[in-house]
Amino acid sequence: MKKVRVTVSDFMNEIITGDSEYFKLPVGRIGNIIFKYYMDKDLNKVELGNFSGEVIQFNLNKKNEEIFMDTLIRNKVEIEAEYWRNIFFTYINNLRYKREEILFEKMGIEPVKKTKTGYSTDVEVLEVLALRGIEIAEKLLEYRGFTKLLSTYVEPLPKLADKDDRIHTTFNQNGTSTGRLSSANPNIQNIPVRTDEGIKIRKGFISQDGWSLVSFDYSQIELRVLAELSKDENLLLAYKKDKDLHDLTARKIFFKTDEEQVTREQRSIAKVINFSILYGKTPFGLSKELKIPVADASQYIKTYFEQYPKVKKFLENVLENARQNGFVETLYGTRRYINNINSSNKNLQAQANRMAVNTVVQGTAANIIKKVMIKLYDEFKNNDDIKMLLQVHDELIFEVKDDVSEKYMEKIKEIMEETIKFEDIRLRANGSVAKNWGLLK
């Protein structure tokens, strides 16, 4: 690859200010999406009747792509040069035996766990070492992050473009255990969203001239599903009054009065706890995510269930039904058989418990988004000024002509909020419009 001379600082400055022309990859449009949706109590039959058309279009500026790639490579090299000139960093990162030898023998770092072939140096171990303040572990994780961006997105995406500079992904209805659509060849759904580098890659997906990208996602859909299924009064009241659920949970677990301020850290902890309950996390799992003692995590979970008592009862019922029947079902009848739910092996049973709870709640949310996609397709299938581009979990992305974007924003929001009617909870959808994916909120 031809190297393009550009300083990292200049490149980053232009990316951050939004003025950069590097790695611009215009988004094309999906053609006709026709979903045939079959529901059966015994078998979950969700089939794609016909899925055809242009999925994602990349109009690559090859020179700019090389600059972006070169910058990531330079970042990797800078890590090597700046921190570990005398330790042969590349050997540490790319050869497991060398990593073990240098980290645990030469540098005398205390190992975290041992495998059949020696001490582990996987990502989980490096994260533990980084939490201990061991700088080399932090740098190894950072190095791996750049390597993954290069190998997973920056290098392969341009090679997947067809003669018209379009890239086509494949959506699979059977790719996840909870019923969500998955994306492959390439996986568009997993492009990072919480890192600066990931956002820069997403900014490469831009609308064609005269069009904009429109994004809509559900506000806390899984927590709203939990409120509807559990009928917990505190959860229902929070959503009926449009309260900030994470703020409310923080107040409950930290015993804050209405007059007291909830800190950002406390709200963040409450947010993790709210979603951890959905995923069936144990005190150990929560302590690992929050980086707190297991005893503190256990107390948070105990307090949560005291404040939301019907959530605990609902989860207990899910697990009891799973043990009796060997399967669980979503609100719409999608069934999943749960292996090891009655296993004598505690680890296997704990894993099965998490699967059971997650399937009921996340599976119901997956049913909802599919139903809404069918409704949206039926509504817009004959319109030539809007196309459905992507589904990313509970988010839908469209490409809409500029002069009608406001009209479609209103209509999409209406369909997403009104198609599914719960007894006690209203679904809420948030929309945004931008010229590239990275700017969509």
Side-chain angles (χ1 to χ4, degrees):
M1 182 185 72
K2 180 182 177 182
K3 297 294 183 181
V4 181
R5 292 190 176 275
V6 55
T7 66
V8 174
S9 59
D10 289 343
F11 173 81
M12 292 301 181
N13 181 63
E14 292 187 25
I15 285 290
I16 292 170
T17 58
D19 297 328
S20 178
E21 292 298 320
Y22 302 141
F23 207 54
K24 294 281 187 170
L25 310 180
V27 174
R29 61 185 186 179
I30 274 183
N32 299 320
I33 305 178
I34 305 174
F35 284 92
K36 291 183 178 177
Y37 194 79
Y38 303 96
M39 273 296 177
D40 185 281
K41 283 278 185 179
D42 298 318
L43 295 174
N44 174 23
K45 298 179 180 178
V46 184
E47 301 178 357
L48 285 175
N50 179 16
F51 193 93
S52 63
E54 304 152 358
V55 182
I56 300 294
Q57 170 190 317
F58 287 79
N59 288 337
L60 276 179
N61 181 315
K62 302 295 184 181
K63 181 176 179 181
N64 290 340
E65 184 273 335
E66 287 183 358
I67 293 173
F68 186 81
M69 187 184 302
D70 190 43
T71 300
L72 289 183
I73 292 172
R74 285 170 182 268
N75 285 347
K76 290 170 58 181
V77 172
E78 284 181 0
I79 293 172
E80 297 175 14
E82 182 178 354
Y83 291 92
W84 312 109
R85 296 179 187 276
N86 60 342
I87 306 182
F88 297 99
F89 184 93
T90 301
Y91 286 103
I92 302 176
N93 187 65
N94 295 321
L95 299 176
R96 191 183 66 82
Y97 173 76
K98 291 293 184 182
R99 291 201 302 271
E100 289 181 14
E101 179 182 343
I102 294 178
L103 291 176
F104 305 127
E105 294 181 21
K106 301 294 185 184
M107 301 184 69
I109 296 172
E110 182 182 352
V112 177
K113 65 180 180 180
K114 192 172 185 179
T115 65
K116 293 180 180 180
T117 58
Y119 291 113
S120 173
T121 58
D122 61 17
V123 171
E124 183 179 354
V125 168
L126 292 176
E127 288 175 345
V128 172
L129 296 178
L131 287 176
R132 293 181 189 171
I134 298 173
E135 192 175 23
I136 191 171
E138 297 174 3
K139 293 298 116 183
L140 281 168
L141 289 170
E142 188 177 351
Y143 186 94
R144 284 185 173 188
F146 285 127
T147 300
K148 184 175 181 180
L149 284 176
L150 281 167
S151 62
T152 307
Y153 303 109
V154 180
E155 292 175 337
L157 286 179
K159 298 174 184 177
L160 295 173
D162 64 16
K163 60 182 178 60
D164 298 318
D165 285 331
R166 297 182 185 276
I167 289 179
H168 303 259
T169 189
T170 299
F171 285 101
N172 184 0
Q173 292 244 43
N174 300 316
T176 66
S177 57
T178 56
R180 282 177 166 180
L181 292 180
S182 63
S183 167
N185 302 317
N187 185 344
I188 300 297
Q189 292 179 327
N190 281 2
I191 295 176
V193 66
R194 291 185 175 90
T195 65
D196 291 340
E197 290 80 14
I199 293 296
K200 291 165 195 168
I201 292 176
R202 286 185 172 225
K203 284 182 177 180
F205 295 84
I206 68 176
S207 59
Q208 59 185 302
D209 291 341
W211 295 62
S212 294
L213 298 183
V214 169
S215 170
F216 268 89
D217 69 333
Y218 280 111
S219 171
Q220 301 176 354
I221 185 171
E222 292 172 5
L223 292 174
R224 290 176 187 270
V225 167
L226 178 64
E228 177 68 21
L229 296 180
S230 69
K231 302 298 183 184
D232 184 89
E233 287 85 355
N234 286 330
L235 280 181
L236 294 176
L237 184 63
Y239 282 123
K240 285 179 180 179
K241 292 189 174 182
D242 285 328
K243 289 188 175 182
D244 178 345
L245 183 62
H246 303 319
D247 181 270
L248 178 64
T249 298
R251 293 185 180 282
K252 291 183 178 297
I253 64 175
F254 292 109
F255 305 103
K256 295 275 189 178
T257 66
D258 290 340
E259 291 74 27
E260 291 180 293
Q261 184 75 24
V262 171
T263 67
R264 178 179 294 183
E265 181 183 6
Q266 289 170 336
R267 186 183 183 279
S268 296
I269 291 173
K271 181 177 180 178
V272 171
I273 294 172
N274 279 331
F275 286 105
S276 293
I277 299 302
L278 292 178
Y279 306 140
K281 281 194 175 177
T282 63
F284 176 77
L286 182 60
S287 71
K288 185 178 177 181
E289 183 167 358
L290 291 176
K291 301 177 178 59
I292 59 175
V294 175
D296 290 351
S298 181
Q299 184 60 48
Y300 285 155
I301 293 175
K302 180 176 180 291
T303 304
Y304 176 94
F305 284 131
E306 288 173 351
Q307 298 298 324
Y308 301 107
K310 286 193 176 179
V311 171
K312 184 174 184 179
K313 184 65 176 176
F314 164 72
L315 299 180
E316 290 173 347
N317 289 339
V318 168
L319 296 179
E320 181 60 29
N321 289 333
R323 295 186 187 107
Q324 290 182 3
N325 302 319
F327 62 83
V328 293
E329 291 183 335
T330 70
L331 181 63
Y332 299 96
T334 304
R335 177 176 295 185
R336 180 186 181 186
Y337 288 87
I338 308 296
N339 295 328
N340 300 314
I341 191 66
N342 293 308
S343 175
S344 58
N345 184 306
K346 290 185 178 181
N347 290 332
L348 292 178
Q349 188 181 83
Q351 184 181 40
N353 289 346
R354 291 192 294 272
M355 288 180 183
V357 172
N358 194 29
T359 297
V360 173
V361 178
Q362 193 177 97
T364 296
N367 292 156
I368 290 171
I369 195 69
K370 287 179 179 178
K371 284 177 172 289
V372 169
M373 288 177 75
I374 296 167
K375 179 67 174 178
L376 288 164
Y377 169 75
D378 288 338
E379 183 73 24
F380 302 141
K381 62 184 177 182
N382 296 320
N383 299 9
D384 59 5
D385 51 6
I386 181 172
K387 299 295 177 183
M388 196 184 308
L389 286 181
L390 290 174
Q391 188 254 51
V392 183
H393 309 315
D394 59 350
E395 177 187 19
L396 294 175
I397 300 175
F398 306 80
E399 189 173 27
V400 180
K401 282 191 174 180
D402 289 336
D403 57 351
V404 291
S405 61
E406 186 174 340
K407 176 189 73 173
Y408 280 118
M409 290 279 288
E410 294 176 359
K411 188 62 179 177
I412 293 169
K413 181 178 177 66
E414 176 188 340
I415 291 174
M416 292 186 71
E417 293 186 345
E418 302 297 331
T419 298
I420 300 298
K421 296 285 190 180
F422 282 156
E423 291 180 3
D424 298 297
I425 292 293
R426 279 200 66 185
L427 296 179
R428 298 290 187 186
N430 302 314
S432 64
V433 59
K435 289 297 183 178
N436 70 64
W437 191 4
L439 292 179
L440 290 173
K441 304 299 184 182

